[in-house]
């Protein structure tokens, strides 16, 4: 446990650095899967590491050690983990479990309420049109799900753009994008270091839906214009958001053109560029990181098992 138990925690420090490259350079569907799995597995591995470290502190307490028929004195002598580190790990573990449970409870209630609302909405072919001058459109998960579009949004877009909008929102429902976002956020709730991964998933599911709209319509430029037009209409009352959307038309940095741009300009720029490939190298690198975290956790658990056998008393 001298090294293996700390490796998942170390990987969680550096994993967020790969969130932006994956989301920007890898095909959106594959990027979404890789980022979601990374968030979940790294959160699970780091939480397990905290649990293993916390256990090494518990077996040093005589009364607790007696419950497991362990020798607290032997544990203090043979355990390589400092007591202060074990105590800190226990506190972090408690926080991780509490935040993850809180997030699960809130998300379960939210999805249940959304499903109930979707079931009550009158729809034609899954489409609900709301009489509202404010331009808006979103996918409502449920059994079945619904696509909700305001009259304001319909008046903003032409007929071809209506088809693009519906294709985009329908992709959110058919591919269950809400589940990817929820799972990535669960990992981030357990380990706040992984929040960039969850943020990247929120972006890649939109890119996934954009590409689905391109597949349906066959016109990348038209889809890009629709994305920008709908975003401008939806946020026309917010000057800050308008500036972010229009950022793609302004002066760009020579070092990284979209380094400080918001998600909408990045989506539009991606649509105006050729389709992204699957990037096997990025996928292999991500798989290697996840394998390393999993193997390190397994090795640390095995080492703890051997330690417990060593400090056991008959």
């Amino acid at each position: 446990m001298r090294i293996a138990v700390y490796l998942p925690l170390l990987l969680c420090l550096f994993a967020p650095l790969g969130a932006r490259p994956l989301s920007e350079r890898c095909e959106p569907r594959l990027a979404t899967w890789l980022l979601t799995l990374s968030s979940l597995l790294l959160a699970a591995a780091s939480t397990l590491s905290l649990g293993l470290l916390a256990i090494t502190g518990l077996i040093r307490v005589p009364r607790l050690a007696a419950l497991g028929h362990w020798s607290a004195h032997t544990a203090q002598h043979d355990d390589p983990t400092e007591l202060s580190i074990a105590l800190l790990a226990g506190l972090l573990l408690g926080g991780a479990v509490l935040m993850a449970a809180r997030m699960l409870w809130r998300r379960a209630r939210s999805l249940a309420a959304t499903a109930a609302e979707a079931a009550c909405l009158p729809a034609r072919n899954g489409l609900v049109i709301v009489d509202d001058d404010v331009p808006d459109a979103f996918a409502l998960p449920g059994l079945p799900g619904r696509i909700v579009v305001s009259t304001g949004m319909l008046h903003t877009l032409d007929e071809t753009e209506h088809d693009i909008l519906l294709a985009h929102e329908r992709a959110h429902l058919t591919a269950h994008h809400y589940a990817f976002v929820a799972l990535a956020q669960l990992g981030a709730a357990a380990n706040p270091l992984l929040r960039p991964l969850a943020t990247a998933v929120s972006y890649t599911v939109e890119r996934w839906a954009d590409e689905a709209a391109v597949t349906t319509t066959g016109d990348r430029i038209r889809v890009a214009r629709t994305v920008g037009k709908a975003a401008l209409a939806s946020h026309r009352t917010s000057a800050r958001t308008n500036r972010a959307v229009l950022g793609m038309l302004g002066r760009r940095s020579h070092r990284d053109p979209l380094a400080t741009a918001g998600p909408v300009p990045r989506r539009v720029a991606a649509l105006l560029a050729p389709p992204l490939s699957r990037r096997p190298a990025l996928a292999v690198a991500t798989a290697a990181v996840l394998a390393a975290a999993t193997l390190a956790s397994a090795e640390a658990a095995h080492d703890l098992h051997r330690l417990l056998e060593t400090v056991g008393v008959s």
Side-chain angles (χ1 to χ4, degrees), residues 40-225:
L40 280 176
L41 291 180
L42 288 176
S46 61
T47 301
L48 177 60
S49 292
L50 293 176
L52 296 175
L53 289 170
I55 290 175
T56 63
L58 293 178
I59 62 176
R60 296 186 184 198
V61 180
R63 291 186 179 181
L64 295 177
L67 296 177
H69 303 288
W70 299 307
S71 170
H73 176 73
T74 305
Q76 292 176 8
H77 181 269
D78 294 344
D79 183 11
T81 305
E82 295 290 338
L83 180 59
S84 58
I85 295 178
L87 294 176
L88 177 60
L91 292 175
L92 292 175
L93 175 64
V97 172
L98 179 62
M99 294 304 295
R102 182 184 180 187
M103 185 271 173
L104 272 177
W105 172 247
R106 288 186 172 183
R107 185 50 60 94
R109 290 181 58 187
S110 175
L111 288 176
T114 299
E117 183 180 357
C120 295
L121 289 175
R124 183 177 180 180
N125 296 326
L127 175 63
V128 179
I129 298 178
V130 179
D131 187 11
D132 191 344
D133 292 335
V134 177
D136 198 10
F138 55 90
L140 200 63
L143 297 172
R146 298 284 190 262
I147 298 173
V148 182
V149 183
S150 69
T151 54
M153 181 62 79
L154 293 178
H155 294 156
T156 299
L157 306 177
D158 59 32
E159 291 186 6
T160 302
E161 292 167 341
H162 291 171
D163 294 337
I164 293 173
L165 176 68
L166 293 179
H168 177 98
E169 299 300 339
R170 193 173 291 114
H172 283 317
L173 292 177
T174 57
H176 306 289
H177 288 169
Y178 64 90
F180 288 97
V181 174
L183 291 174
Q185 290 177 347
L186 175 61
N191 188 336
L193 294 174
L194 302 176
R195 284 178 183 172
L197 299 181
T199 301
V201 169
S202 297
Y203 169 75
T204 57
V205 295
E206 293 297 334
R207 284 283 301 114
W208 185 347
D210 290 341
E211 293 297 334
V214 171
T215 301
T216 301
T217 62
D219 190 341
R220 298 186 68 83
I221 295 178
R222 191 68 173 178
V223 174
R225 290 176 179 173

